[in-house]
Amino acid sequence: MAQQPEAAWQDYLRLCRLGGSKGYLDTLRTAGLSNHFEAGAVARATACAREILRKGCEQCKR
């Protein structure tokens, strides 16, 4: 979302349109979302969160 907000919004809409018609992992794949059960997923998510927080902190210092 932070890097490509329009693409993220489209992924979210695709997810909503599925309306529970698929299993969880199929829903993630169809919506273009990452599987948090895969190795390294938590590390990638926390790295992204850290970067967003760093940028936010830099903006507060100004």
Side-chain angles (χ1 to χ4, degrees):
M1 180 69 172
Q3 295 172 346
Q4 297 178 343
E6 182 57 34
W9 179 248
Q10 293 306 315
D11 288 344
Y12 177 72
L13 290 177
R14 198 168 25 258
L15 173 70
C16 291
R17 287 183 189 118
L18 292 172
S21 62
K22 297 177 180 263
Y24 181 69
L25 295 177
D26 285 336
T27 299
L28 291 178
R29 273 190 290 279
T30 303
L33 300 173
S34 60
N35 176 353
H36 63 275
F37 295 120
E38 291 178 349
V42 173
R44 285 190 303 276
T46 55
C48 182
R50 265 189 250 121
E51 185 62 27
I52 290 169
L53 290 172
R54 271 192 213 113
K55 287 180 182 176
C57 292
E58 291 300 317
Q59 290 173 355
C60 292
K61 292 177 185 178
R62 295 180 192 169

